[in-house]
Structures are given as C-alpha cells and as structure tokens.
Amino acid sequence: GAGVSQSPSNKVTEKGKDVELRCDPISGHTALYWYRQRLGQGLEFLIYFQGNSAPDKSGLPSDRFSAERTGESVSTLTIQRTQQEDSAVYLCASTLPLVRGYGEQFFGPGTRLTVL
Amino acid sequence: GQNIDQPTEMTATEGAIVQINCTYQTSGFNGLFWYQQHAGEAPTFLSYNVLDGLEEKGRFSSFLSRSKGYSYLLLKELQMKDSASYLCAVRDWQAGTALIFGKGTTLSVSS
C-alpha cells in the first residue's frame, strides 16, 4: 500500500479483556516497530521485527504484551487482560533496510486504545 | 542508558523563526531524527543528522553536534500549520535500531 495502515483506529475495551491490534507495513519494508504513546508523552518503544530474525522484545512492559509478524508482512500486537494503564495510542512504523537509506521510520495512524 | 531532553512547549508568531533544542545522552549514537506530529496524527519524518553540521530542507534546518550531544531544529517563516509537536529521536546501536524518542516540544504559532 501507499503507507503504513493500522486497525482498528479506535478500540474501547473493558478492563481484563484481551485486544489485538493490527499493522500493515509498507510493501518492501523489512523492519517493523511498535511504539506506545501515552497522552502528552513521547513514544515508548515496545518491540521490533527485522526480516526473519528473532524480534527485539526489550521494550515490552509486561508478559501481557506480545506481538507476531509473518515474514515481512502484517504484524499483530496482543495485549492480554488489559489494564487501565494500557490506555494509549499504539503506533506502528516500518523502514527500508539500512543499506537502502538511513532508516527513517514511516508511521501508521495509530490505534487509540481506551481501557475502561 | 539513554536520555533525551527537549523543551515541553514553545510559542511563536507567524513569519518568525524558532529554534527547538534537543540534548541527548547515548552510549552508541548512530543518528538523530526530527519528526513532526500534529495532534491526533502519526509522526512524519522531517530530518536526519548523523554527521556534525547543518542539514537544510526548505524552511526547516537541523543541526547536530555529536561532541556536545546537541541538536536543534530551526523553522523559518513560520506558518499556522507549523503548530504541532516536534519529536527528537536518537538511534543508538546499543539499543538495536529502534529510535529513542524525547517527549516532544509542542509549538504553538499565533497570528
């Protein structure tokens, strides 16, 4: 597609429910990142996928968070047993390989998650 | 560890010039990015610096001094549409290739 797309754009859920967020990166972008942005805060790195390598999960805040990516396509971020503190905008970004540029990240529009 | 500081808020008037500063501390610096983020929208890429000096792109310029751990974004001929949050982000090889973002500077441009 022309840009990174994410779905849903908004998600309201009850505390304790599981949610699944989806990201479609730009075609040909081998790297994919998930970030979280709480209201009035900067972007917080969550997880990074590069091709078929093992993902960098160092930013995941707890074991309730997990993510998958199939090859170089769609990624899903799953949050289990959601808590109110999980309310934030979840942003996905993708990049070309560094050998083809300096790796600027192209962001999707985000999913605004509200946990009641 | 990594630390990125930038002012929380700035105000300016249309037609003016504004400089948004960013200081950083990283162990494996490998590039600094500036992004613009309008309220409720995704960040969009503005500039990239990896070597010392000034990079100019139209009304926007970005400067880097690696020895000082310092960068600034310069916006000239300000327009109302420049009202947004400006995010400074650093790539640190010690932390993989994910970007480490500052909290952003909210710029308000008035007429």
Side-chain angles (χ1 to χ4, degrees), chain B residues 32-81:
Chain B
L32 185 142
F33 296 78
W34 283 96
Y35 282 82
Q36 181 190 60
Q37 187 178 27
H38 285 100
E41 298 182 11
T44 55
F45 169 76
L46 287 178
S47 69
Y48 170 74
N49 296 72
V50 68
L51 299 176
D52 291 349
L54 189 68
E55 295 284 340
E56 297 187 78
K57 251 190 196 181
R59 294 189 300 114
F60 293 5
S61 303
S62 58
F63 172 83
L64 175 68
S65 169
R66 289 171 296 169
S67 61
K68 296 181 179 177
Y70 168 69
S71 173
Y72 67 72
L73 180 70
L74 193 72
L75 294 77
K76 302 176 186 175
E77 300 168 15
L78 280 174
Q79 302 174 11
M80 298 291 283
K81 68 178 183 180

Side-chain angles (χ1 to χ4, degrees), chain A residues 42-104:
Chain A
L43 276 68
E44 177 188 2
F45 166 70
L46 296 177
I47 188 169
Y48 156 62
F49 296 90
Q50 172 62 61
N52 294 317
S53 302
D56 176 356
K57 304 180 182 179
S58 60
L60 293 178
S62 77
D63 59 8
R64 296 187 295 105
F65 288 71
S66 62
E68 292 183 348
R69 187 185 187 196
T70 306
E72 295 182 356
S73 60
V74 171
S75 175
T76 55
L77 176 69
T78 302
I79 308 173
Q80 296 177 310
R81 304 182 302 281
T82 52
Q83 304 293 313
Q84 289 182 331
E85 67 208 38
D86 300 333
S87 296
V89 176
Y90 289 82
L91 290 160
C92 174
S94 69
T95 73
L96 285 166
L98 283 178
V99 293
R100 293 180 57 189
Y102 39 76
E104 76 269 32

Side-chain angles (χ1 to χ4, degrees), chain A residues 33 35 37 48 102 105 108, chain B residues 35 37 42 48 91 93 97 99:
Chain A
Y33 304 80
Y35 293 89
Q37 187 174 31
Y48 156 62
Y102 39 76
Q105 298 187 6
Chain B
Y35 282 82
Q37 187 178 27
Y48 170 74
R91 184 164 57 212
W93 286 119
T97 60
L99 297 182

